[in-house]
Amino acid sequence: MKKIIFLFFAIVLFFFSSSAQHTNEIVGINDNGVFKITSSLDKIKSDWAALLKSQQNEATLDRFQILQGKDSLSNNRVFYYLLGESKSHKTKVATLLMLEGGNFYLQQEKAASLSGTITCTGCANGCNPKISRGKWYCDAGCGKLCTKSVTVTTD
């Protein structure tokens, strides 16, 4: 029995260590510095709606865009992320993207030094997803009204 369990873990470890750093679905493209979403985002929209519901948040995400940010406390490391916002701009959800060959892909959780999906809620001006020292946070702007939730998913 111990040999079977060991073999199972060895196979799982091999699978995860040899898999890609991103999903195979192209989310968008970098067209000479203009980031364009090329996917319908149906699965992401559905997943994020379920995530908000699990957080007792009734907001609907209406606007989606690919953005670039810099982690100023980690040597200005550039990162890309997909942002979904409610019409009121009070709810924002973001997850990391990987840019490879001009295409944006969802970054695999296990490949990311920074992982998870962040939800920032509170106010329209401020409370935006940001990264500092490799960790998600929601920036200031509305003080205590801003709340953060980071969700790590596994598929």
Side-chain angles (χ1 to χ4, degrees):
M1 182 69 171
K2 288 181 184 178
K3 288 182 182 181
I4 293 172
I5 293 172
F6 176 77
L7 181 62
F8 172 76
F9 284 113
I11 291 170
V12 169
L13 181 62
F14 174 77
F15 173 77
F16 283 116
S17 65
S18 64
S19 60
Q21 300 245 342
H22 58 74
T23 61
N24 291 328
E25 180 185 354
I26 296 172
V27 173
I29 60 169
N30 179 354
D31 185 12
N32 294 318
V34 178
F35 307 149
K36 298 177 181 177
I37 295 173
T38 58
S39 168
S40 69
L41 302 179
D42 288 339
K43 178 158 177 20
I44 294 168
K45 289 176 181 180
S46 174
D47 289 348
W48 286 2
L51 173 67
L52 291 175
K53 186 176 180 181
S54 75
Q55 297 170 349
Q56 286 79 43
N57 186 329
E58 296 179 15
T60 300
L61 302 176
D62 302 297
R63 180 177 171 209
F64 294 84
Q65 58 186 325
I66 296 172
L67 297 172
Q68 174 182 319
K70 285 188 179 179
D71 185 341
S72 60
L73 296 177
S74 293
N75 297 326
N76 285 322
R77 182 181 72 97
V78 173
F79 62 94
Y80 302 95
Y81 60 104
L82 178 65
L83 177 72
E85 273 186 292
S86 64
K87 188 176 263 182
S88 69
H89 305 288
K90 291 182 179 181
T91 298
K92 298 142 189 147
V93 180
T95 195
L96 277 181
L97 297 175
M98 178 177 273
L99 177 62
E100 186 176 287
N103 296 318
F104 289 104
Y105 301 89
L106 290 174
Q107 189 161 332
Q108 295 281 7
E109 297 287 342
K110 62 188 171 300
S113 57
L114 168 73
S115 62
T117 299
I118 186 170
T119 305
C120 298
T121 56
C123 60
N125 297 319
C127 200
N128 297 304
K130 301 286 183 188
I131 294 177
S132 178
R133 294 193 174 131
K135 298 192 184 308
W136 283 115
Y137 74 97
C138 301
D139 70 1
C142 56
K144 293 181 180 181
L145 293 176
C146 183
T147 61
K148 170 187 128 178
S149 174
V150 176
T151 306
V152 178
T153 57
T154 58
D155 278 336

